[in-house]
Amino acid sequence: MFKHLPWSFAFAGMLSIAGALAAEAGPQPPPEMAALYPRVGTWKVLMRTGPSESLPKGGVDNGVMVMKKGPGGFSIVQEFTSHGTSGDVVGQSYAWWDAKAKAYKSVWCDNMQGCVDFVTVVKGNSWTVELDGESNGKKVHTTIRATMSADRNRIEEEVANAYDGGPMHVETVSYYTRIPDSGAAGETHAQ
């Protein structure tokens, strides 16, 4: 029995190496996902809304955004909650690289307006989203522009709307501050 022991260990070792190689050779996230990973972490959010038809005096909301890598790193997942002038908002989104479309695609769902899908244009530490929809019977074109600081610990985001083809007007400015120990800036977390 003992004379076969070295062969058994060798066979078990080969199986371990083969398993590790198979895991390494498995599907990997596209390299474009690296542009989204710096968002991973927990963020404190301060949203300032300017005066509008629906909110004549404007207002302030405070919240938390948690960004995580999705399964296998093929997406990032956002959990969002806020409270303030806008009420209690709970939202969730997924973002991923669509190789066929050569674009970052996302879906956002919240308890105030349902779900919307969109494309995000990413350039360095900045990104832009363009959306079309309706609000109170008016056609609305929304542009969201966000920029992450060079140290990857702050994000500033502006939401501008144009109603029925009118001029764009910035309605909300949000400030995101990374909560320490929530994921090092730019760190890619193990799955």
Side-chain angles (χ1 to χ4, degrees):
M1 180 169 168
F2 289 109
K3 67 180 181 178
H4 297 293
L5 190 59
W7 181 84
S8 299
F9 280 129
F11 184 69
M14 289 188 318
L15 286 177
S16 295
I17 291 169
L21 290 175
E24 286 180 23
Q28 297 294 313
E32 291 84 359
M33 286 302 298
L36 302 184
Y37 294 155
R39 301 180 198 182
V40 170
T42 302
W43 302 79
K44 180 176 72 170
V45 184
L46 171 66
M47 301 179 341
R48 295 187 186 278
T49 302
S52 65
E53 285 182 29
S54 61
L55 203 57
K57 293 183 180 181
V60 174
D61 292 84
N62 290 287
V64 174
M65 174 178 75
V66 177
M67 300 286 283
K68 298 178 181 179
K69 282 187 181 181
F74 287 91
S75 63
I76 58 170
V77 181
Q78 175 187 19
E79 300 282 342
F80 180 88
T81 58
S82 69
H83 177 76
T85 309
S86 301
D88 293 325
V89 178
V90 178
Q92 186 177 53
S93 73
Y94 290 83
W96 65 94
W97 175 254
D98 183 323
K100 289 182 183 176
K102 297 189 184 310
Y104 293 97
K105 293 199 174 173
S106 300
V107 62
W108 165 263
C109 298
D110 67 40
N111 62 316
M112 299 293 202
Q113 57 193 6
C115 299
V116 61
D117 61 334
F118 52 90
V119 172
T120 303
V121 176
V122 178
K123 292 183 181 177
N125 283 348
S126 297
W127 55 94
T128 304
V129 173
E130 303 277 342
L131 301 166
D132 289 303
E134 283 194 31
S135 177
N136 298 323
K138 295 181 179 181
K139 291 183 179 183
V140 182
H141 178 76
T142 301
T143 301
I144 302 170
R145 288 190 172 90
T147 300
M148 181 178 283
S149 64
D151 67 3
R152 297 181 172 177
N153 288 317
R154 292 177 310 284
I155 299 171
E156 186 171 323
E157 177 184 78
E158 288 185 350
V159 178
N161 291 309
Y163 297 89
D164 286 335
M168 293 296 286
H169 175 70
V170 174
E171 292 185 359
T172 304
V173 178
S174 299
Y175 304 93
Y176 298 77
T177 305
R178 187 183 298 276
I179 296 174
D181 299 318
S182 67
E187 179 181 337
T188 54
H189 300 275
Q191 296 306 304

